Amino acid sequence: MLLSMKCEEYDVIVVGAGHAGCEAAAVAATMGSRVLLITHDMNKIAQLSCNPAMGGIAKGQIVREVDALGGYSGLVSDATSIQFRMLNKSKGPAMWSPRAQIDRMRFMEKWRESLDAISNVHMWQDSVVGILEKNYTVYGVKTLLNKEFTARCVILTVGTFLNGLMHFGRTMIAGGRISEPASYGLTDQLKDLGCRTDRMKTGTPARIDGRSVDWSLTTEQKGDEGDFHHFSYCTDTPNNLRQMPCHILYTSPECHEVLRRSLDDSPLYNGQIQSIGPRYCPSIETKIVTFSDKEQHQLFLEPEGENTNEYYLNGFSSSLPLEVQLEALRTLPVLRNVRLYRPGYAIEYDFFDPTQLQPTLEHMLLKGLYMAGQINGTTGYEEAAGQGLLAGINAHFSAHGGESVVLGRNEAYIGVLIDDLVTKGVDEPYRMFTSRAEYRTLLRQDNADERLTPYAMKWGIASSKRVERFTYKRQAIADLKAFMMAFSVRPEAVNSFLEQIGEQPLKHAVRLSEVLLRPRLSIHQLVELLPRFHEEVDTLSQLREEILERVEIDVKYAGYIEREQQQAEKALRLDGITLGDKFDYLSLEQLSTEARQKLDRIRPKTIGQAARIPGVSPHDISVLLVLCGR
């Protein structure tokens, strides 16, 4: 919807239309808030600024969680994907992670189309230079065009634009992204109001013309074939886009030598960049220094879209001069004639200390101000989308007098992400991994809807289709599990096959659920072996594969799931003991000095959150429990 020239009051203003901003605007508007979305460029909404992909290890779980809560990232990804893979299938289901290659241009178009279809979302193309506040309560924003817009809540999702500075070798250019201006004013104002800020760095590789690649020297990596996979629980069929492979190649000692002799021109090593970079997505310069004994590093050529020659060179992020990047790449036979669309570069930008945020993502010092995405020190589209969704939900409830929403660490990777940010802070760009979740057997990609869609239904953000599908799936899973608990399998029906696959034969009839516990036996094999089971499964709708997958996981991993559930319930007891503003921590001499300082700075809401603060010992928690009368 276009904005009229008459300035109106909004419920929620969202600053920035990246992945966090789009999800925040969409969910707040869907819940009934009048939302103003302000962005530098309305033609680059939800830009995939780095790699053209969504999901991955732990990130795919977040996309499914966003979808289960009524967000758009999964739906838009499914509509624009050109390859889909389920990663880590050789490991246990807690590690399975969906990932899709995306058509970059269609992704932006689909997001824009989705936002345009939400009547409560208004858009304005401009740059925000300051917030409007009185007595530490935020009530709007001021823009570069000298416009003022008022609202009950403001969500900052500004990505890498705050005082953004790009590095191309020794050449430095101000900007939030290549060919896009940086944003100024907000950082200084927020610092003056007491917000702690620092600088971070990230980078991106060169974009390559596929016509200049010798594809015969690469290894093709195709997506999953056979069963239809997707992110969204509401996606019915594959899109009509051509599915495209990625390609694997490797660096070489000759390539490393070119890079090594040019390190004096690298902003990372000549002192030009002082800020913190991502440890888990290092530049090629960092790789050859940190892993100097390795003769090669794996790279991936990822297609940018169905109808473009542009490829993303994953694994070769660099801020070296253009000439050095070209020379190094042309030492590789596969890229000996390579042409670039643009070089790789590094970017420095401002972020704000997330330990100054409430678990709702509202700032502790400024009522009505929320922050989501890279402004909180995170990296990744998926982490941003999850934060944006929760910030949008909480901003809506704040604007209309509802209760705030905090997801637990046992409920969602999004809950783990936000709790890590507000409790532990960041000393490098934060990236989600399955290892960060202590209850990852509970937080699988296959059960995100069962964990979170009831919330979406409660808050009124689940579509009728989502509600119908969720209700059907939950009942079908329960019915199929009940059938397997009741149905008896006789030895003569399965023993021949069990011996064939190396499993011990049955000595007497057992329940079907017990047969499925055999490690080499899958639920699909049992469906084919047992006509009665086949008949039962045939009654399932198009959700057949999702239901079979869920039932198999529940049966095979029941012991692990139950144990983690018990651990989570034990930890929840500490999260049920509130602290609020009960104590002046600096005066509590029973606590260690580090604990007093950390507790005073972070102001945990519960004993459980306090226990997760680095530097707060079990003894300190015991003291707090005594002081709370426990």
Side-chain angles (χ1 to χ4, degrees), residues 125-142:
Q125 185 165 297
D126 203 345
S127 178
V128 170
V129 296
I131 59 170
L132 304 176
E133 64 84 25
K134 184 176 182 180
N135 298 326
Y136 290 90
T137 296
V138 173
Y139 65 90
V141 299
K142 182 177 181 179

Side-chain angles (χ1 to χ4, degrees), residues 86-147:
M86 186 66 74
L87 307 182
N88 281 342
K89 281 289 282 188
S90 62
K91 301 181 180 179
M95 307 296 286
W96 297 355
S97 300
R99 183 182 189 272
Q101 290 296 137
I102 302 295
D103 187 307
R104 185 190 299 275
M105 296 304 295
R106 285 191 169 99
F107 186 86
M108 290 189 289
E109 291 169 2
K110 186 63 178 178
W111 249 116
R112 173 66 185 272
E113 176 188 317
S114 301
L115 290 170
D116 279 338
I118 304 174
S119 60
N120 278 345
V121 174
H122 298 237
M123 297 185 197
W124 181 251
Q125 185 165 297
D126 203 345
S127 178
V128 170
V129 296
I131 59 170
L132 304 176
E133 64 84 25
K134 184 176 182 180
N135 298 326
Y136 290 90
T137 296
V138 173
Y139 65 90
V141 299
K142 182 177 181 179
T143 76
L144 191 62
L145 293 177
N146 203 29
K147 301 287 291 183

Side-chain angles (χ1 to χ4, degrees), residues 63-106:
V63 177
R64 296 216 92 183
E65 290 176 354
V66 168
D67 177 75
L69 285 167
Y72 281 77
S73 290
L75 284 164
V76 175
S77 296
D78 289 343
T80 59
S81 67
I82 53 178
Q83 185 196 105
F84 191 97
R85 296 178 66 214
M86 186 66 74
L87 307 182
N88 281 342
K89 281 289 282 188
S90 62
K91 301 181 180 179
M95 307 296 286
W96 297 355
S97 300
R99 183 182 189 272
Q101 290 296 137
I102 302 295
D103 187 307
R104 185 190 299 275
M105 296 304 295
R106 285 191 169 99

Side-chain angles (χ1 to χ4, degrees), residues 409-431:
R409 297 180 71 91
N410 65 315
E411 292 181 296
Y413 272 94
I414 298 172
V416 175
L417 163 65
I418 294 175
D419 185 66
D420 279 352
L421 292 176
V422 303
T423 302
K424 302 175 183 178
V426 293
D427 56 10
E428 63 182 337
Y430 181 101
R431 179 179 179 180

Side-chain angles (χ1 to χ4, degrees), residues 112-339:
R112 173 66 185 272
E113 176 188 317
S114 301
L115 290 170
D116 279 338
I118 304 174
S119 60
N120 278 345
V121 174
H122 298 237
M123 297 185 197
W124 181 251
Q125 185 165 297
D126 203 345
S127 178
V128 170
V129 296
I131 59 170
L132 304 176
E133 64 84 25
K134 184 176 182 180
N135 298 326
Y136 290 90
T137 296
V138 173
Y139 65 90
V141 299
K142 182 177 181 179
T143 76
L144 191 62
L145 293 177
N146 203 29
K147 301 287 291 183
E148 292 188 355
F149 300 102
T150 60
R152 300 177 188 181
C153 296
V154 173
I155 306 175
L156 297 182
T157 66
V158 292
T160 59
F161 281 80
L162 291 184
N163 294 321
L165 181 63
M166 296 177 290
H167 298 262
F168 302 81
R170 295 181 183 273
T171 300
M172 293 178 284
I173 301 173
R177 203 158 46 200
I178 195 164
S179 301
E180 295 184 54
S183 181
Y184 301 99
L186 270 173
T187 297
D188 291 339
Q189 181 189 14
L190 293 174
K191 281 175 66 176
D192 290 343
L193 290 168
C195 301
R196 295 192 293 269
T197 184
D198 206 337
R199 299 277 280 176
M200 275 190 178
K201 167 261 173 189
T202 189
T204 191
R207 304 307 197 268
I208 284 176
D209 186 339
R211 294 168 297 186
S212 65
V213 176
D214 186 343
W215 297 107
S216 67
L217 299 178
T218 67
T219 301
E220 191 175 71
Q221 184 186 59
K222 293 183 177 180
D224 290 347
E225 298 178 353
D227 294 339
F228 167 52
H229 293 286
H230 46 88
F231 282 116
S232 177
Y233 291 97
C234 289
T235 298
D236 293 320
T237 57
N239 62 49
N240 59 3
L241 300 182
R242 177 165 54 96
Q243 298 301 287
M244 302 180 66
C246 294
H247 294 263
I248 300 171
L249 61 154
Y250 295 88
T251 60
S252 66
E254 293 79 14
C255 175
H256 295 180
E257 179 54 34
V258 172
L259 297 170
R260 193 173 290 110
R261 68 170 184 254
S262 303
L263 287 178
D264 285 347
D265 289 320
S266 169
L268 291 174
Y269 292 96
N270 63 14
Q272 189 171 304
I273 289 178
Q274 298 290 332
S275 50
I276 315 159
R279 184 180 7 156
Y280 299 107
C281 189
S283 67
I284 190 65
E285 300 97 290
T286 301
K287 288 180 186 178
I288 65 167
V289 171
T290 305
F291 308 105
S292 57
D293 58 322
K294 292 194 68 171
E295 294 192 347
Q296 62 180 22
H297 293 282
Q298 190 175 56
L299 308 176
F300 296 86
L301 279 166
E302 301 181 2
E304 294 268 356
E306 182 187 23
N307 296 313
T308 178
N309 295 312
E310 188 174 358
Y311 279 78
Y312 176 91
L313 186 58
N314 195 334
F316 204 89
S317 174
S318 179
S319 58
L320 283 163
L322 165 61
E323 297 78 11
V324 176
Q325 293 183 43
L326 263 176
E327 183 184 357
L329 291 174
R330 285 176 174 166
T331 64
L332 308 178
V334 62
L335 299 175
R336 59 183 175 272
N337 298 313
V338 71
R339 293 190 301 273

Side-chain angles (χ1 to χ4, degrees), residues 411-532:
E411 292 181 296
Y413 272 94
I414 298 172
V416 175
L417 163 65
I418 294 175
D419 185 66
D420 279 352
L421 292 176
V422 303
T423 302
K424 302 175 183 178
V426 293
D427 56 10
E428 63 182 337
Y430 181 101
R431 179 179 179 180
M432 180 54 72
F433 293 101
T434 52
S435 59
R436 295 189 189 273
E438 54 270 58
Y439 310 119
R440 55 184 175 271
T441 304
L442 302 180
L443 308 183
R444 305 184 311 276
Q445 58 84 30
D446 64 277
N447 70 350
D449 56 342
E450 293 172 65
R451 292 183 276 118
L452 301 174
T453 295
Y455 285 129
M457 294 162 63
K458 175 183 175 183
W459 302 329
I461 50 180
S463 66
S464 57
K465 178 179 180 179
R466 186 178 299 278
V467 173
E468 179 183 352
R469 181 159 294 200
F470 170 72
T471 303
Y472 170 81
K473 178 183 172 185
R474 182 167 55 181
Q475 187 60 52
I477 289 171
D479 290 347
L480 195 58
K481 287 166 72 173
F483 172 84
M484 295 181 69
M485 292 291 290
F487 184 72
S488 182
V489 179
R490 300 183 64 80
E492 58 266 26
V494 295
N495 274 356
S496 176
F497 184 76
L498 290 178
E499 291 173 348
Q500 183 181 330
I501 63 174
E503 290 285 348
Q504 289 294 316
L506 300 181
K507 295 181 180 179
H508 52 78
V510 299
R511 291 179 299 180
L512 177 55
S513 57
E514 293 180 46
V515 180
L516 184 57
L517 291 173
R518 305 296 182 97
R520 298 182 183 89
L521 190 63
S522 74
I523 195 168
H524 290 87
Q525 291 168 326
L526 284 174
V527 170
E528 295 304 317
L529 277 174
L530 304 170
R532 181 68 182 87

